[in-house]
Amino acid sequence: MYAAVVLVVFACLTDTIHADHHQPCHPPNMTGVMTVITMKGEIKAVGAFTYDSMGKKLRFRSNDSHPTNTSVGLDLLMFFEQGVFYEIDSKNQTCEKKKLDMDLNPLDIPDDAKFHSTITAGSRSIEGEGLKVNIWTGSIPNMKGYYSVSVTMGCLPVSVLYFSESAPMLFSNMEVDLEIKDPDLLLVPSFCLGQPLEESPEGTVNSFIHEFM
Ligand SMILES: *[C@@H]1O[C@H](CO)[C@@H](O)[C@H](O)[C@H]1NC(C)=O
Ligand SMILES: *[C@@H]1O[C@H](CO)[C@@H](O)[C@H](O)[C@H]1NC(C)=O
Ligand SMILES: *[C@@H]1O[C@H](CO)[C@@H](O)[C@H](O)[C@H]1NC(C)=O
Ligand SMILES: *[C@@H]1O[C@H](CO)[C@@H](O)[C@H](O)[C@H]1NC(C)=O
């Protein structure tokens, strides 16, 4: 009898643990700062992002006045759901519209991601000195690589590592707020409306991470 009760309790416990990790969570609407670093240690870009989690829309604008030396100046408006994105040049009021060949969204966890582990950055035992994150992993289709996403317990993405032979890259987020401060940033600028889809040269792959390669 006792053994059976223990077994049931244990089964329930493991069930809850499994239930927790069974389905990847999806981050909320956010505004924050994103840094893009190659695994060779080069900081490619630092910029502000705005993310609509339902519409899967992302605006990323690199900040050229940031004190870090960066090599890529970019203003991107990504529509992951529609599979298109815009490269925007606000100064010249021009833009290019391109098809997304790969759905690599650095602010979401793919539905088929596998739960890997929960770790604590900093200290697990000192109150307020640790950041507990869940790590989810999966493979990157067509790139012979894998990704590893870490999110806080409230599903805020801390970092995502895209590991491939060609160009391992780390996207890391900070100063995240749970709101869209300027919804206009997620609208196609008027000077981009009616823009035809750019023909990419044969062999070109377009994705958010390829913009930084
Ligand atoms: C997220 O932002 C979009 C676009 O501004 C808005 O339509 C949506 O209601 C927001 N969702 C939440 C949960 O606030
Ligand atoms: C760009 O970086 C500078 C220096 O860190 C900061 O003061 C400024 O607010 C940033 N601008 C944007 C739009 O994030
Ligand atoms: C940034 O780049 C410039 C020009 O390449 C260089 O002179 C400067 O030392 C760099 N600054 C830092 C902090 O690396
Ligand atoms: C703006 O357009 C001019 C002329 O086409 C070009 O020379 C310049 O490089 C462009 N500026 C930017 C920031 O792309």
Side-chain angles (χ1 to χ4, degrees), residues 15-117:
D15 262 351
T16 15
I17 290 163
H18 274 275
D20 251 351
H21 299 317
H22 206 67
Q23 282 293 324
C25 58
H26 294 289
N29 281 354
M30 295 178 289
T31 300
V33 175
M34 182 184 282
T35 303
V36 184
I37 311 167
T38 67
M39 296 317 272
K40 285 183 192 141
E42 186 192 359
I43 298 178
K44 286 278 183 175
V46 179
F49 72 84
T50 298
Y51 183 62
D52 174 347
S53 64
M54 278 288 274
K56 301 219 190 300
K57 298 174 193 170
L58 167 65
R59 181 75 176 263
F60 173 83
R61 294 190 298 167
S62 55
N63 181 348
D64 298 328
S65 55
H66 195 274
T68 315
N69 267 350
T70 56
S71 55
V72 182
L74 275 177
D75 185 349
L76 299 170
L77 178 57
M78 317 291 298
F79 293 95
F80 291 104
E81 209 97 286
Q82 286 89 347
V84 295
F85 69 103
Y86 294 83
E87 273 176 43
I88 300 165
D89 181 344
S90 299
K91 274 200 196 105
N92 278 357
Q93 302 256 300
T94 56
C95 66
E96 293 181 50
K97 181 182 182 184
K98 294 179 179 171
K99 185 172 147 285
L100 265 178
D101 298 313
M102 291 166 83
D103 177 31
L104 298 174
N105 178 348
L107 295 178
D108 199 11
I109 307 176
D111 284 328
D112 59 358
K114 300 258 183 309
F115 176 75
H116 180 270
S117 55

Side-chain angles (χ1 to χ4, degrees), residues 192-208:
C192 298
L193 291 171
Q195 186 77 15
L197 208 58
E198 201 91 1
E199 287 291 335
S200 294
E202 187 76 21
T204 313
V205 180
N206 289 322
S207 79
F208 186 72

Side-chain angles (χ1 to χ4, degrees), residues 129-183:
E129 296 291 338
L131 177 65
K132 197 169 151 192
V133 293
N134 280 333
I135 298 173
W136 294 83
T137 62
S139 58
I140 307 174
N142 314 326
M143 259 178 90
K144 280 200 218 147
Y146 67 87
Y147 60 82
S148 168
V149 190
S150 59
V151 297
T152 62
M153 295 299 118
C155 207
L156 303 184
V158 175
S159 67
V160 50
L161 170 67
Y162 289 107
F163 194 85
S164 68
E165 281 167 10
S166 51
M169 232 179 266
L170 179 75
F171 294 78
S172 115
N173 306 315
M174 54 189 188
E175 314 292 350
V176 172
D177 283 320
L178 298 186
E179 58 172 338
I180 292 176
K181 290 177 183 160
D182 182 0

